[in-house]
Amino acid sequence: MRPAYLILVCVCAFAQPRYDLVLKGGHVIDAKNHVSAVRDVAITGNRIAAVDANIPASDARRTVDVSGLYVTPGLVDMHVHVFAATMNREYTGEDCVRPDGFTFRSGVTTVVDAGSSGWRSFGVLRDEIINKSKTRVFAMLNIVGNGMGGRMDIEQNTKDMEPERTAEVAKRNSDVVVGIKIAHYAGPEWIAVDRAVQAGELAHLPVMVDFATFRPERPFQELVLKHLRPGDIYTHTYLQAVPMIDKEGKLLPYLFEARRRGIIFDVGHGAGSFSWKQAVPAVKQGFIADSISTDLHTDSMNAGMKDMLNVMSKFLALGVPLDQVIEMSTWHPARQIHHEELGHLTAGAPADVAVLRVVKGDFGFVDSARLRLKGTEKLVAEMTIRDGRVVWDLNGMSSQDWDHAPK
Ligand SMILES: [Zn+2]
């Protein structure tokens, strides 16, 4: 019996294709691995199995021809608002949306809820959204215990800014909490920022700042030169209120100084936080944000922001090369939130993949002041793979034609 049994095992081993899915002939852009070339990508289970110049179709259970398209790591959007657990305004923060309805259709596989919840409300975000979504959802805890709470005044309550409690909940949920957020604080003191940094220190996490009301008592320059630590993140980089360009149109040198200190500048587009008057001269003079993020919520997605790929397309229109735009939307944000297992296509990494098309034509991109910049390229998500599964397929590339399907 024994030899026959062995032969049977061998035959089965040869008959089984090595890979579940091969994406064939696409241009792979993987910044971490310094790849920007035509490559095949093989997936087995929920992992990247191989990236190679030629992976035979016979090695795969299913092969999809993606020639003419770009194959990138699943996009990482590190500033969204997805605490739409109930229609109760108590939770909906900045008009939150549910992640799966907005992510996959634009190539996004990982999002970070940026402070919609604080230590008091995080449990509901975890139970209702993080645990129930197909999108990988991380969170930054608001330094305010009640989070955004659906009302701006809740975020003004300095009594509810408790670094110890915030850090405690962050540590207890270290699998999904990736930072501390401070947002919308309007007072003249530094207390809100400093408490968030204190929580960040206790929990060993980066802090993300939405500086909100810019006041002479607490100049923005001091935020990025003194109060934040290396690795902390300023979101809303191209907000009109950020001191960026002097009267002669020249970029203010402190921005580069802040960057040399290790401060991270994130786009955080939002409804009101992206201005061409800032972005065009800044990018021209070499001040390109480290990461692209949307600040997704119902107001931003129906205004100039729209979705992750639209914001990325804006950077193409600004003249930033596609490889860099992809890096700003994959590997950079993954590193910034200390999840270096994401944002690349190394064999063994989670099989989160975006297949993108660059469409050529006449396009218009609108900023927060409703001003338009024209462009000739727009990114579209043809296919999104999350955890090895096709979760978005715009033109059914992974499907069989109906008239060839078995009866
Ligand atoms: Zn936000």
Side-chain angles (χ1 to χ4, degrees), residues 154-398:
I154 286 178
E155 292 186 277
Q156 310 307 318
N157 182 5
T158 54
K159 290 199 180 75
D160 198 22
M161 297 176 183
E162 297 179 84
E164 292 82 10
R165 292 206 142 144
T166 306
E168 211 179 282
V169 171
K171 280 190 199 159
R172 222 184 299 139
N173 295 278
S174 61
D175 55 333
V176 290
V177 173
V178 298
I180 310 295
K181 177 86 185 291
I182 162 66
H184 307 142
Y185 187 65
E189 330 83 0
W190 285 103
I191 183 169
V193 168
D194 292 345
R195 292 247 170 109
V197 170
Q198 223 179 314
E201 256 159 28
L202 292 170
H204 309 291
L205 289 173
V207 167
M208 179 189 269
V209 177
D210 166 344
F211 205 46
T213 317
F214 285 58
R215 305 183 60 131
E217 301 93 331
R218 46 170 174 82
F220 180 78
Q221 287 88 336
E222 281 185 26
L223 172 77
V224 291
L225 295 176
K226 287 187 187 152
H227 287 263
L228 294 185
R229 308 159 299 164
D232 285 340
I233 303 150
Y234 171 69
T235 191
H236 306 320
T237 294
Y238 300 108
L239 178 82
Q240 188 63 56
V242 173
M244 190 165 272
I245 309 291
D246 68 12
K247 286 198 181 80
E248 278 76 51
K250 290 201 88 172
L251 201 68
L252 299 172
Y254 84 92
L255 291 164
F256 290 107
E257 201 184 324
R259 195 165 246 186
R260 275 194 298 275
R261 277 190 72 227
I263 302 303
I264 290 161
F265 288 86
D266 172 53
V267 171
H269 190 301
S273 307
F274 186 91
S275 163
W276 289 128
K277 287 183 183 167
Q278 299 276 66
V280 171
V283 168
K284 225 175 242 163
Q285 292 173 61
F287 194 69
I288 303 172
D290 298 289
S291 50
I292 293 176
S293 70
T294 60
D295 192 3
L296 170 72
H297 51 79
T298 51
D299 288 344
S300 63
M301 55 150 294
N302 286 315
M305 190 284 285
K306 296 182 175 64
D307 61 24
M308 183 71 171
L309 290 174
N310 191 60
V311 181
M312 290 164 68
S313 302
K314 288 183 173 187
F315 283 85
L316 294 179
L318 284 166
V320 180
L322 177 64
D323 284 15
Q324 192 175 348
V325 168
I326 299 296
E327 184 174 27
M328 290 160 77
S329 317
T330 54
W331 178 231
H332 279 185
R335 287 182 71 186
Q336 288 163 21
I337 58 168
H338 304 175
H339 273 270
E340 299 198 358
E341 77 282 14
L342 302 174
H344 54 88
L345 298 173
T346 312
D352 292 357
V353 182
V355 179
L356 307 176
R357 184 187 295 279
V358 177
V359 182
K360 309 270 181 186
D362 291 322
F363 302 111
F365 300 102
V366 176
D367 73 358
S368 298
R370 297 196 181 190
L371 300 173
R372 183 178 64 178
L373 178 85
K374 289 185 175 180
T376 56
E377 292 178 322
K378 197 169 210 171
L379 288 160
V380 172
E382 280 290 348
M383 194 189 290
T384 305
I385 295 167
R386 163 81 177 99
D387 225 17
R389 288 189 182 170
V390 176
V391 288
W392 170 257
D393 189 350
L394 185 63
N395 286 295
M397 288 194 307
S398 65

Side-chain angles (χ1 to χ4, degrees), residues 13-126:
F14 278 112
Q16 288 286 330
R18 288 167 69 188
Y19 308 120
D20 293 329
L21 175 65
V22 167
L23 303 172
K24 212 158 174 42
H27 183 118
V28 171
I29 301 177
D30 177 355
K32 189 202 170 185
N33 292 307
H34 310 288
V35 177
S36 179
V38 173
R39 292 277 184 276
D40 297 342
V41 176
I43 292 167
T44 298
N46 61 1
R47 300 276 147 184
I48 302 291
V51 177
D52 219 324
N54 186 20
I55 300 173
S58 54
D59 283 355
R61 216 179 288 274
R62 186 162 51 141
T63 302
V64 179
D65 178 7
V66 293
S67 48
L69 304 176
Y70 293 92
V71 179
T72 77
L75 306 178
V76 179
D77 184 352
M78 66 175 216
H79 184 162
V80 302
H81 294 281
V82 293
F83 196 6
T86 67
M87 286 307 282
N88 187 342
R89 289 284 298 184
E90 189 184 336
Y91 294 129
T92 52
E94 276 184 292
D95 299 308
C96 291
V97 298
R98 283 179 177 269
D100 295 349
F102 300 87
T103 48
F104 300 145
R105 57 190 298 119
S106 44
V108 175
T109 52
T110 297
V111 294
V112 179
D113 181 276
S116 309
S117 78
W119 69 267
R120 292 177 203 276
S121 49
F122 174 74
V124 182
L125 176 68
R126 170 141 212 167

